[in-house]
């Protein structure tokens, strides 16, 4: 499956049996971060999740429909 980074729009190919692929398939909103963006914002993400004001991943994008 193909996934698109919600930050930099880079498209990556995920092997279907990876944990992330399974996780993304099981969610109504498919979200993905490329490794670079993930590493960059992980700390910030955790802070926002903790505050309950985390909206960053709420993209309505559904790029899989394009394939
Ligand atoms: Zn990225």
């Amino acid at each position: 499956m193909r996934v698109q980074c919600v930050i930099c729009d880079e498209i990556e190919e995920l092997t279907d049996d990876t944990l992330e692929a399974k996780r993304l398939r099981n969610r109504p909103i498919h979200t993905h971060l490329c490794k670079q963006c993930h590493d960059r914002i992980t700390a910030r993400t955790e802070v926002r999740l903790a505050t309950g004001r985390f909206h960053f991943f709420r993209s309505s994008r559904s790029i899989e429909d394009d394939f």
Side-chain angles (χ1 to χ4, degrees):
M1 66 186 279
R2 289 192 189 200
V3 292
Q4 186 175 29
C5 175
V6 297
I7 294 183
C8 67
D9 288 347
E10 178 171 313
I11 293 181
E12 296 181 325
E13 188 76 29
L14 276 190
T15 310
D16 282 351
D17 62 357
T18 61
L19 275 179
E20 183 172 17
K22 288 174 183 170
R23 180 172 62 82
L24 290 172
R25 262 206 307 271
N26 289 331
R27 293 171 63 130
I29 301 171
H30 290 197
T31 56
H32 171 72
L33 292 179
C34 69
K35 185 155 184 49
Q36 293 92 324
C37 292
H38 180 273
D39 290 347
R40 193 169 60 221
I41 70 161
T42 291
R44 229 182 307 164
T45 296
E46 288 173 351
V47 170
R48 292 194 191 181
L49 281 172
T51 64
R53 295 173 55 218
F54 185 75
H55 300 294
F56 189 79
F57 286 110
R58 293 203 162 276
S59 167
S60 59
R61 225 178 256 158
S62 184
I63 63 166
E64 286 203 306
D65 291 342
D66 296 331
F67 297 99

